[in-house]
Amino acid sequence: MEKFLSGSSKNLPARKNRFEMELSFETFTDKELLKDLKQFGKENFLFEVLDRLEPKEDPSYNYTEDLKTLEELWIDKLQPFKRKRL
């Protein structure tokens, strides 16, 4: 069975590092994820970047809404809360 945890970040390397540290120190807020980590082992988890936004020319552009929309599109596509019909 596959499970998904989605998220978004303006700084992917920092977010990945934080994610790995939270798992290592068992401080991740999702207790079900920590339970699965203990049961299945870290080697059975994957941190994967599914998509990226193209940089804007305006250095003050706020990507927050774009990231939220992109994350929602991926949740819709992956359908982690129900079985997909093949």
Side-chain angles (χ1 to χ4, degrees), residues 50-61:
L50 298 175
D51 218 333
R52 293 177 186 267
L53 293 172
E54 290 295 320
K56 305 290 185 191
E57 288 187 31
D58 179 2
S60 65
Y61 184 81

Side-chain angles (χ1 to χ4, degrees), residues 17-75:
N17 185 51
R18 180 176 157 203
F19 177 77
E20 290 173 349
M21 293 297 288
E22 288 173 336
L23 291 180
S24 293
F25 292 112
E26 298 183 7
T27 58
F28 200 80
T29 56
D30 187 325
K31 301 306 177 197
E32 187 173 340
L33 177 67
L34 287 175
K35 179 183 164 198
D36 289 345
L37 180 72
K38 288 179 183 179
Q39 182 177 355
F40 301 110
K42 186 177 179 178
E43 66 277 2
N44 289 302
F45 289 79
L46 173 68
F47 182 99
E48 184 176 9
V49 177
L50 298 175
D51 218 333
R52 293 177 186 267
L53 293 172
E54 290 295 320
K56 305 290 185 191
E57 288 187 31
D58 179 2
S60 65
Y61 184 81
N62 187 342
Y63 292 89
T64 304
E65 284 301 314
D66 293 349
L67 288 169
K68 182 179 177 182
T69 300
L70 190 58
E71 183 178 354
E72 289 171 1
L73 288 171
W74 274 102
I75 289 171

